[in-house]
Amino acid sequence: MRSVVFDVGETLVDETRIFERWADRLGVPRLAFFGLMGGVMARGRPLMDAFRLVKPDFRLEEEVAAWKAEDPATLADGFDSHDLYPDVRPALAELRALGVGVVIAGNQPAAARTALEAMDLPVDAVHVSEEWGLEKPDPAFFARVADVAGAAPGEIAYVGDRLDNDVLPARAAGMATVLVRRGMHGYLHADDPDAKHADLVADALTDIPAWISG
């Protein structure tokens, strides 16, 4: 394995605080909002449906713009180093010590790249879908991943918390795959029969270096 490429949300970044802020913004109890999100995902519906159940005319870009105009200091739907899962730095550092390339590439806005780069993580590069004009699960996204990783698909492991966006399309692109068992999608998808298509189902990112070196 020459390179490991990581998704962002619920792989590196714990999104709890983001969704708590959204619940507060929408004026709904946090527990109710988390339940709605879990409910729509269990039905195979887009996550944004949970927002529209609370606010039928919800439009993400408009709402974020209004939020930031009202409170320029807010993170809104963004994140910072306080949102990193505690195993991120140790796992990335261990991979680098093994001589493996480490890249971040996920479905994120351009602002997420700035936030991630400000964390000074032990990675070779950070890439986001908005800047590529490509989103997972588009096969072109994974072709671009191979490009930036500088390795053949069979020499790359893609790490994410979802089957539909991460494991299955990365596998179709010829990559090894790791399904991280955390976050709302991660726990749900790890219990899905298609989880057998992941080369590793990991409870923590620190499981990955041992898997690669073993």
Side-chain angles (χ1 to χ4, degrees):
M1 200 64 60
R2 290 181 53 199
S3 186
V4 181
V5 183
F6 290 86
D7 175 40
V8 179
E10 290 304 333
T11 299
L12 304 178
V13 172
D14 180 345
E15 296 179 322
T16 301
R17 291 201 312 159
I18 298 171
F19 291 124
E20 285 177 345
R21 288 195 298 271
W22 271 118
D24 296 345
R25 172 77 181 175
L26 295 171
V28 63
R30 293 175 177 182
L31 183 60
F33 191 54
F34 276 63
L36 281 173
M37 288 192 292
V40 300
M41 287 190 298
R43 295 180 182 180
R45 292 167 59 178
L47 184 60
M48 283 296 107
D49 281 3
F51 291 71
R52 296 186 187 102
L53 285 170
V54 176
K55 184 177 180 180
D57 62 348
F58 182 86
R59 293 179 177 81
L60 180 61
E61 290 183 4
E62 292 177 14
E63 192 69 36
V64 170
W67 196 355
K68 290 183 175 179
E70 294 164 19
D71 182 5
T74 185
L75 278 172
D77 63 343
F79 54 81
D80 62 22
S81 60
H82 295 94
D83 299 302
L84 280 181
Y85 275 106
D87 60 357
V88 171
R89 291 186 189 276
L92 301 187
E94 194 173 348
L95 287 169
R96 291 289 291 273
L98 290 173
V100 176
V102 180
V103 174
I104 298 172
N107 284 356
Q108 293 287 328
R113 179 178 61 80
T114 303
L116 288 162
E117 288 178 344
M119 296 178 195
D120 195 27
L121 295 169
V123 300
D124 299 302
V126 178
H127 300 280
V128 294
S129 58
E130 183 177 38
E131 295 179 338
W132 282 357
L134 297 166
E135 285 194 351
K136 298 181 293 183
D138 187 337
F141 180 96
F142 291 93
R144 190 70 180 272
V145 164
D147 234 11
V148 299
E155 299 172 319
I156 298 168
Y158 192 84
V159 183
D161 64 307
R162 297 177 60 163
L163 290 172
D164 54 349
N165 263 17
D166 302 318
V167 170
L168 299 180
R171 179 183 171 87
M175 299 176 186
T177 59
V178 178
L179 177 64
V180 186
R181 190 174 165 269
R182 64 183 174 203
M184 287 181 284
H185 281 106
Y187 287 112
L188 190 63
H189 288 195
D191 190 51
D192 189 288
D194 278 345
K196 67 185 179 186
H197 295 301
D199 294 281
L200 173 68
V201 177
D203 287 320
L205 299 187
T206 45
D207 295 343
I208 299 171
W211 168 68
I212 287 178
S213 57

